[in-house]
Amino acid sequence: MAGLTTGGPNLDVSLLYELNGLARQAPGGLDRAVSLAGEYGILLALVLLVLWCWRGARRQDEATAAETFAALVWAPLGAGLALLVNAPLREFVGRQRPFMQHEGLQVLDPGPGIGLAKSPFSFVSDHATLAMALGVGLFVANRKFGLIGIGLALAEGLCRVYAGVHYPTDVIGGFALGTAVVLILAPLAMALLNPVVRAVAGSPRVGRLVRAKGRALPRAVGLAQPQNPPAGQLTQESDLAA
């Protein structure tokens, strides 16, 4: 791979040079903005999106709020698990970062040993894995927010290639890994988290994490509920008692 240059037969390297080549033509301010967005900004936006989704979920009915909250808890947990899976995978594959293999790249990040991936190896991208895992986890909780999150994850991948620190296939691999971990383990995670979330929702102290103020828990099915008699019936009973 090291001998390939732009325009060569390797599509991965060709796309790398095409996207990274835009950095040479862009103003310096744009390059810095893309670098910061790819390193920190988009991931922060995804975290804020999770919190925004949680804020809206608390206003739903109790059952829906609990289910959404459980999915929102799983989103960062699944993303963290995906990163743990990627750590040995990256070392096993041992693919060096593109600027260590190819000349003429405009490197916007001072790697290696930067950001989330403190490693000279690039496959798969930690940033892409984390971003897509959060986006897909959001999709499990709420489709509208999930689509926005997945769009941000795609932007994260483009930023990493633009910065010259990842090949396109590093990013695609990260997308696949983050998606697979979150979706494959989601049924098990939800089965474990749902009872915990329901217990939290029923707590008078921490229940507001799941439900907004004034949202009462649904009463258990089958329990007799006190009912007020109609006004006319109450009057008749009062007359008879008199």
Side-chain angles (χ1 to χ4, degrees):
M1 188 183 301
L4 296 177
T5 58
T6 181
N10 191 309
L11 181 61
D12 198 22
V13 177
S14 298
L15 286 174
L16 167 67
Y17 273 102
E18 289 292 334
L19 290 174
N20 180 256
L22 298 175
R24 293 186 176 279
Q25 307 171 13
L30 178 61
D31 285 348
R32 287 191 294 272
V34 171
S35 177
L36 287 173
E39 187 70 22
Y40 308 107
I42 293 177
L43 295 179
L44 177 60
L46 281 165
V47 172
L48 294 176
L49 194 63
V50 170
L51 295 176
W52 188 11
C53 184
W54 164 71
R55 180 175 179 272
R58 293 175 66 244
R59 299 172 181 173
Q60 298 173 324
D61 64 89
E62 182 64 28
T64 305
E67 184 176 349
T68 303
F69 185 81
L72 289 175
V73 171
W74 169 237
L77 290 179
L81 183 58
L83 289 180
L84 290 177
V85 172
N86 185 38
L89 174 63
R90 187 178 58 239
E91 298 297 321
F92 175 76
V93 175
R95 185 187 201 185
Q96 291 186 324
R97 292 186 181 272
F99 56 80
M100 302 174 69
Q101 294 281 342
H102 304 281
E103 297 180 354
L105 292 174
Q106 181 79 4
V107 182
L108 303 183
D109 278 335
I114 55 172
L116 292 176
K118 299 185 183 299
S119 167
F121 304 130
S122 67
F123 186 90
V124 298
S125 167
D126 271 345
H127 285 76
T129 301
L130 180 59
M132 187 57 74
L134 287 172
V136 173
L138 266 171
F139 188 82
V140 173
N142 182 292
R143 290 191 176 183
K144 180 180 72 173
F145 283 94
L147 289 175
I148 297 173
I150 291 172
L152 288 172
L154 294 175
E156 174 71 28
L158 288 175
C159 288
R160 300 304 285 171
V161 179
Y162 181 96
V165 294
H166 281 292
Y167 295 97
T169 48
D170 296 338
V171 168
I172 294 172
F175 290 162
L177 178 60
T179 300
V181 169
V182 171
L183 290 185
I184 291 175
L185 296 180
L188 175 61
M190 295 299 289
L192 295 174
L193 288 172
N194 274 326
V196 177
V197 171
R198 292 194 200 100
V200 171
S203 170
R205 292 188 176 182
V206 294
R208 291 183 185 178
L209 288 173
V210 180
R211 54 187 172 84
K213 184 178 180 180
R215 295 283 183 176
L217 287 167
R219 298 183 183 274
V221 178
L223 294 179
Q225 304 297 329
Q227 297 181 353
N228 295 324
Q233 180 180 346
L234 183 60
T235 302
Q236 293 177 2
E237 291 177 354
S238 299
D239 293 340
L240 291 174

